[in-house]
Amino acid sequence: MTDAMRLEHKFHRPEAGLTVGEDARVEGYASVFGRRDHGGDVVVRGAYSASLAALSARGGRVKMLWQHDPGQPIGVWDEVREDERGLWVRGRLLTEVARGRETAALIGAGAIDGLSIGYRTRRAERAPEGGRKLVELELWEVSLVTFPMLPDATLGGARKETEAPVMAELAGVFDAARRALAQR
């Protein structure tokens, strides 16, 4: 496989909030412009615009995956857009799928709080301080992940305090159902 065919990944812990609501909706920033990652790369504003426009024109969608595994779609992104800050996503975990239920429980418990993009680089420039300035990216997927690329970008207090007990209760319900099914 050539480098042009290989997907790259950028992990990001969304400081502005990867949240999961009662209806298994998730949202947050999958990428923040102008932030240097551990690989030395910086995504610039507008890097996703051509890709998002092309997807929209052909009726396509950015995929929601678990840990970049194309065999484990866990939901759908209903909205993916660039704003002044970065690449913002909002979607729904599919709780009819086992991994979707598990992911909702993991997010609710605080075990998962990272997002990562899967993309191909269409245009990049060498940055004077090292790494690349990513100018145009072909976005394929946004995954929920364990280890984000930007560890200093944390959820902190972004999750509403009222959501934590609800998600803990939901995690308990899922765990009890899993145990009951395992005993059959």
Side-chain angles (χ1 to χ4, degrees), residues 17-18 26-30 62 77-81 87-91 115 139 142:
L18 170 60
V26 291
E27 63 182 60
Y29 280 91
V62 174
W77 293 117
D78 296 316
E79 189 174 353
V80 178
R81 63 176 164 79
L87 182 70
W88 185 81
V89 295
R90 177 176 31 208
L115 290 173
L139 184 64
V142 175

Side-chain angles (χ1 to χ4, degrees), residues 46-68:
Y48 303 101
S49 60
S51 177
L52 294 176
L55 267 173
S56 178
R58 69 174 186 266
R61 292 178 105 155
V62 174
K63 304 300 183 195
M64 181 192 292
L65 302 179
W66 172 252
Q67 308 282 358
H68 296 295

Side-chain angles (χ1 to χ4, degrees), residues 103-166:
T103 303
L106 290 166
I107 292 170
I112 296 290
D113 61 359
L115 290 173
S116 178
I117 57 173
Y119 65 96
R120 286 203 177 106
T121 302
R122 291 295 179 208
R123 194 167 54 121
E125 302 169 359
R126 285 280 161 219
E129 59 278 356
R132 301 177 296 172
K133 193 160 76 168
L134 301 174
V135 178
E136 184 179 346
L137 301 175
E138 180 184 356
L139 184 64
W140 281 58
E141 53 97 358
V142 175
S143 286
L144 285 94
V145 297
T146 307
F147 298 107
M149 185 67 134
L150 297 173
D152 61 326
T154 63
L155 281 174
R159 185 183 295 125
K160 295 178 189 167
E161 293 302 317
T162 58
E163 289 179 2
V166 171

